[in-house]
Amino acid sequence: MNDKQIIQMYWQRNENAITETLKIYGNLCKNTASRILSTPEDIDECINDALLQVWNSIPPTKPLNFAAFIATITRNTALNKYNHIKRQKRSSNQVQLIYDEISDCIHTSEDIESEVNARMLTDALDKFLDTLSDDAQTIFVQRYVLMLSISEIAKLYNYTESKVKVTLLRTRKNLRKYLKQEGWI
Amino acid sequence: MTKSDLLTALGDIDEKYICKAFEKASAENVLILDERETKGRVGAMDKKKYIKNKIVPIVAVAASVILCVGSLIYITQRNNDDKITPQDNSAVTSQSESEQSDSSTEISESTPDCVYEVFNWGDNEEFAEHIYKIVSDKGFVNTTYKLQDGTTEEIIYLYEFDCIEGYSLFSRYQTGSNYVYSFYRKNGDRTGSATNEITMTWEIGTESQSALQSKIDYYNSQGYAVNEISNMPGYYYVDFDEFQKVMWCEAGYYFELQFPVSVGRINTSTHAYTGEYLFSLKKSQYIIDESGNATELDKYFSESPYELFQKRLIELQTQNPNEPIVELTYNDKLGALSGYGIGIPQGNEENVNSVEQIKEFINNTDLAGEELDAAILDMVYDLYYIKIEMGSGVYWDELLIDKDGKHIVTDYMGTARYRYYDVATKTYCSVPLSEIGFHGEFDDD
């Protein structure tokens, strides 16, 4: 069964769509969630929540790329869960690491600006991504959106790890400049 | 805006970017990722998996190293170049996991009861559990430990070595932007005839000079080559000659165990120096990578990074005495280190601005004054950096060489005031960037 057929099932409100999604993208979901969450229970719960969200999103959404769509929803669901868990106890170090890295781009003080317009920020990030080279863009997205490790990204695109690291470093620096220019920090 | 806001917003970026990232990867490579064993990395694993997959292999491999010297532990396999391969590592791990294995039995029988001496900042029960598990799995018994630090993460590096008598575990983990080093030394000799427990806890900012001195006296009495205590603000340092070794230690993976090591830390918020002690560790050099594979450092290069660094520095100074900046050489072998490297990664030349490129830039740009300085500085920043890898993360710290090649400048202070090491006077100083020959905007966020 291909993506188009599965999406069609969602549109038809056929619950088998979820089963088919799991068959094909179960590993993807699990991998994505496990990059962020620590325990199998949390991961399973995250996948369930993500699938529910997929179910609720289609329709009306028509994903351009179903895998990317699922990965993003899983990532966001996991991140929300992670934030929830983090408030209670320490959790995945990988995510903390990513937080630390991304903090290069902004002031870490949480009291600098407590309220942000998320949509505007996202738009700004879209614009920033447009300024990047293809390589930088994909590496950045894989790292900070899909939360792949350096080595995974290197393998994915047949890059050296050094290239990935250097590209990320530069992109973070550029993002910081950009966010500053745009008045976000 | 918080980090969380930014990461959350990144999750809402236009779908096209994510699609592109997916589409750009080859199907074959995606399959590799998709079919990998589903497990988190260091922090994402549950404890059992962490112990099994990460810590045990590391300790097992390190233990294997010791056996070569101490004739206590059995090293399973080595490939032709003596590098412990993942396969070898698996073998070692399997042995560790199997209580019935000969190796495990051997370790258990030959290892005396022991007590670990713990020097630490703070309290971390979780970490303590790890340690307990590790020593339990390795057959160490009657082990006691004390750990105090409630805010640390799980990046832990363990090293076990023949230290005066017995074994030690050396660990490093991170607390926010600070680093915590722990050093565990097993008291008593190999026969287990003498064990005693000494637990020392270091409290941030409260360690007096006399208390430090007493510790040093103690280490000296135990046979460690302990040097002086210095109150000089800094990160981690010893003599300049040991510069690279200290940096390696900071990198966490690298363990060079025949030098005096000064371990201290600086509060990155206040820049207050909070403590330091020195001790001597003994043994050879190993790199332990993320997978727990250990490789002798000598396999990578014959000269130390520092030697390479100095050599290249002199070479460049000779060639270009008026060159305001120098280019650090890069040894591709260094790039393979899961520890510390200086320079430009080979294979990334397209990302690197060489001195020639900078000169060309200067000749062709319309920028002038501070703008030019800033632009050059930005390029210089791309030239020099220190690579530090910890766990699955990588940090890059810039390193600048001033125009005379006399100052090694780092931004460890985390501000525009740079700390540098004056080669001539062998002292560390902290000055504004502009005072050491660099002008223009410096982004110190």
Side-chain angles (χ1 to χ4, degrees):
Chain A
M1 185 166 284
N2 61 33
D3 289 353
K4 199 175 174 182
Q5 290 169 318
I6 296 175
I7 292 169
Q8 187 61 31
M9 288 170 75
Y10 276 103
W11 275 81
Q12 293 166 350
R13 310 314 288 160
N14 180 344
E15 290 182 4
N16 287 332
I18 293 175
T19 312
E20 293 301 323
T21 304
L22 262 180
K23 271 185 199 168
I24 298 174
Y25 295 113
N27 274 353
L28 177 67
C29 292
K30 204 165 185 179
N31 286 337
T32 304
S34 66
R35 289 185 187 105
I36 300 169
L37 299 169
S38 306
T39 68
E41 293 78 14
D42 288 339
I43 291 165
D44 288 344
E45 195 178 321
C46 167
I47 293 170
N48 287 336
D49 289 348
L51 287 172
L52 177 64
Q53 203 174 327
V54 171
W55 176 259
N56 290 334
S57 302
I58 310 174
T61 308
K62 287 184 177 172
L64 295 173
N65 180 315
F66 195 43
F69 180 75
I70 288 171
T72 308
I73 285 184
T74 308
R75 177 262 194 203
N76 291 343
T77 307
L79 199 60
N80 286 339
K81 190 160 188 64
Y82 168 80
N83 286 330
H84 176 71
I85 293 168
K86 202 179 81 166
R87 283 193 287 271
Q88 299 170 351
K89 62 177 185 177
R90 291 179 301 109
S91 186
S92 164
N93 190 62
Q94 170 74 0
V95 179
Q96 191 57 53
L97 186 63
I98 289 174
Y99 267 97
D100 289 344
E101 285 183 19
I102 204 76
S103 69
D104 289 354
C105 310
I106 60 171
H107 284 287
T108 54
S109 241
E110 304 226 345
D111 58 0
I112 294 175
E113 222 178 301
S114 57
E115 294 295 325
V116 293
N117 185 322
R119 189 62 253 169
M120 282 177 66
L121 178 56
T122 302
D123 289 345
L125 289 170
D126 284 347
K127 283 178 188 165
F128 169 74
L129 288 169
D130 280 335
T131 68
L132 299 178
S133 67
D134 274 5
D135 281 0
Q137 193 184 93
T138 49
I139 288 173
F140 187 82
V141 167
Q142 290 289 7
R143 179 65 173 158
Y144 297 114
V145 180
L146 300 171
M147 299 195 162
L148 265 63
S149 70
I150 304 286
S151 59
E152 284 173 330
I153 297 168
K155 276 180 195 164
L156 203 57
Y157 299 114
N158 294 322
Y159 296 149
T160 63
E161 290 192 21
S162 291
K163 178 183 170 69
V164 176
K165 292 164 192 167
V166 171
T167 305
L168 285 171
L169 172 72
R170 288 161 192 275
T171 309
R172 287 201 304 272
K173 284 169 82 173
N174 289 337
L175 177 58
R176 180 169 58 183
K177 278 182 189 169
Y178 174 79
L179 291 173
K180 197 182 257 184
Q181 276 170 8
E182 296 295 312
W184 288 99
I185 55 177
Chain B
M1 179 172 59
T2 66
K3 292 177 277 188
S4 183
D5 293 333
L6 185 54
L7 273 184
T8 302
L10 280 167
D12 292 328
I13 59 170
D14 195 307
E15 192 182 356
K16 69 180 180 186
Y17 301 110
I18 300 165
C19 293
K20 194 169 167 185
F22 264 76
E23 285 157 9
K24 193 164 186 238
S26 72
E28 185 183 345
N29 288 347
V30 170
L31 199 62
I32 291 168
L33 285 182
D34 195 44
E35 288 182 347
R36 70 179 188 154
E37 182 187 355
T38 301
K39 66 180 183 182
R41 275 159 292 283
V42 178
M45 275 192 258
D46 61 39
K47 287 179 192 173
K48 193 173 178 183
K49 278 186 179 173
Y50 183 83
I51 294 293
K52 181 179 175 183
N53 296 335
K54 189 81 175 179
I55 297 297
V56 170
I58 291 174
V59 174
V61 171
S64 300
V65 169
I66 294 158
L67 281 178
C68 294
V69 177
S71 302
L72 278 177
I73 307 171
Y74 167 68
I75 186 165
T76 311
Q77 292 176 1
R78 287 192 149 202
N79 57 15
N80 291 338
D81 63 1
D82 275 357
K83 179 175 180 178
I84 298 176
T85 64
Q87 288 77 15
D88 297 329
N89 189 42
S90 300
V92 175
T93 307
S94 297
Q95 284 186 330
S96 299
E97 289 168 1
S98 170
E99 292 180 359
Q100 302 304 318
S101 74
D102 293 339
S103 174
S104 185
T105 304
E106 183 182 351
I107 292 167
S108 186
E109 288 176 352
S110 61
T111 305
D113 294 353
C114 57
V115 174
Y116 280 88
E117 184 179 8
V118 179
F119 309 97
N120 204 342
W121 293 274
D123 184 347
N124 185 338
E125 286 183 8
E126 200 170 327
F127 181 61
E129 280 180 35
H130 283 318
I131 298 296
Y132 181 77
K133 283 285 294 177
I134 291 158
V135 294
S136 298
D137 290 347
K138 292 301 296 175
F140 296 153
V141 292
N142 294 338
T143 300
T144 63
Y145 51 86
K146 182 177 180 180
L147 296 157
Q148 298 180 342
D149 191 327
T151 57
T152 53
E153 289 292 346
E154 289 183 338
I155 299 176
I156 302 165
Y157 308 96
L158 297 169
Y159 190 80
E160 192 177 15
F161 60 98
D162 187 4
C163 175
I164 312 297
E165 292 176 331
Y167 303 100
S168 294
L169 296 173
F170 180 78
S171 76
R172 176 189 188 281
Y173 55 110
Q174 189 175 7
T175 304
S177 55
N178 291 328
Y179 304 105
V180 178
Y181 285 82
S182 298
F183 177 58
Y184 307 83
R185 190 172 75 79
K186 180 188 135 186
N187 290 312
D189 61 24
R190 288 176 181 169
T191 67
S193 60
T195 59
N196 60 326
E197 178 180 1
I198 300 173
T199 302
M200 301 176 77
T201 303
W202 289 55
E203 295 178 16
I204 297 171
T206 62
E207 200 73 31
S208 67
Q209 183 78 15
S210 60
L212 287 171
Q213 189 59 54
S214 70
K215 285 186 175 66
I216 285 183
D217 291 343
Y218 167 75
Y219 294 128
N220 277 325
S221 73
Q222 297 294 305
Y224 292 91
V226 177
N227 286 347
E228 62 180 5
I229 295 176
S230 169
N231 287 322
M232 179 69 85
Y235 210 73
Y236 309 102
Y237 71 92
V238 284
D239 290 341
F240 186 63
D241 290 342
E242 304 292 349
F243 175 77
Q244 85 284 8
K245 296 172 182 174
V246 175
M247 295 305 297
W248 281 338
C249 239
E250 182 188 333
Y253 281 112
Y254 175 79
F255 301 93
E256 207 283 1
L257 301 178
Q258 270 187 323
F259 54 90
V261 179
S262 166
V263 178
R265 83 173 184 173
I266 190 165
N267 182 316
T268 53
S269 299
T270 64
H271 297 162
Y273 191 60
T274 55
E276 177 183 28
Y277 70 97
L278 295 91
F279 53 88
S280 174
L281 307 175
K282 292 183 178 179
K283 203 145 188 333
S284 57
Q285 306 173 345
Y286 284 86
I287 298 295
I288 299 177
D289 67 19
E290 280 188 39
S291 303
N293 303 321
T295 306
E296 286 184 31
L297 191 65
D298 289 345
K299 304 295 178 195
Y300 283 103
F301 54 86
S302 57
E303 292 175 287
S304 73
Y306 176 69
E307 287 165 335
L308 292 169
F309 172 88
Q310 284 291 74
K311 187 187 286 182
R312 182 63 175 151
L313 204 59
I314 292 165
E315 189 181 308
L316 286 162
Q317 278 183 264
T318 308
Q319 287 171 357
N320 306 299
N322 298 317
E323 181 60 59
I325 50 175
V326 293
E327 179 186 10
L328 289 180
T329 187
Y330 181 76
N331 183 321
D332 62 341
K333 293 172 182 175
L334 289 178
L337 298 181
S338 294
Y340 165 62
I342 298 174
I344 301 161
Q346 284 192 352
N348 288 278
E349 287 83 359
E350 76 275 14
N351 293 325
V352 174
N353 300 302
S354 69
V355 173
E356 284 305 315
Q357 282 177 294
I358 293 174
K359 283 161 82 174
E360 189 182 338
F361 170 79
I362 293 169
N363 288 334
N364 295 308
T365 184
D366 292 330
L367 294 175
E370 290 192 354
E371 282 185 349
L372 177 60
D373 285 341
I376 295 171
L377 182 61
D378 193 44
M379 298 177 85
V380 171
Y381 257 76
D382 287 339
L383 271 176
Y384 314 114
Y385 51 81
I386 299 169
K387 169 187 165 190
I388 300 171
E389 290 190 4
M390 295 188 303
S392 55
V394 178
Y395 299 83
W396 299 87
D397 275 322
E398 290 85 355
L399 183 148
L400 303 176
I401 310 301
D402 78 346
K403 60 184 176 183
D404 299 322
K406 295 288 174 58
H407 295 160
I408 292 177
V409 185
T410 73
D411 65 347
Y412 284 144
M413 299 298 282
T415 72
R417 288 184 64 84
Y418 268 60
R419 173 171 174 257
Y420 68 89
Y421 185 89
D422 187 318
V423 177
T425 61
K426 291 196 172 184
T427 55
Y428 286 88
C429 308
S430 169
V431 297
L433 191 63
S434 58
E435 285 185 21
I436 52 172
F438 293 99
H439 301 277
E441 181 187 0
F442 172 63
D443 194 351
D444 63 350
D445 290 334

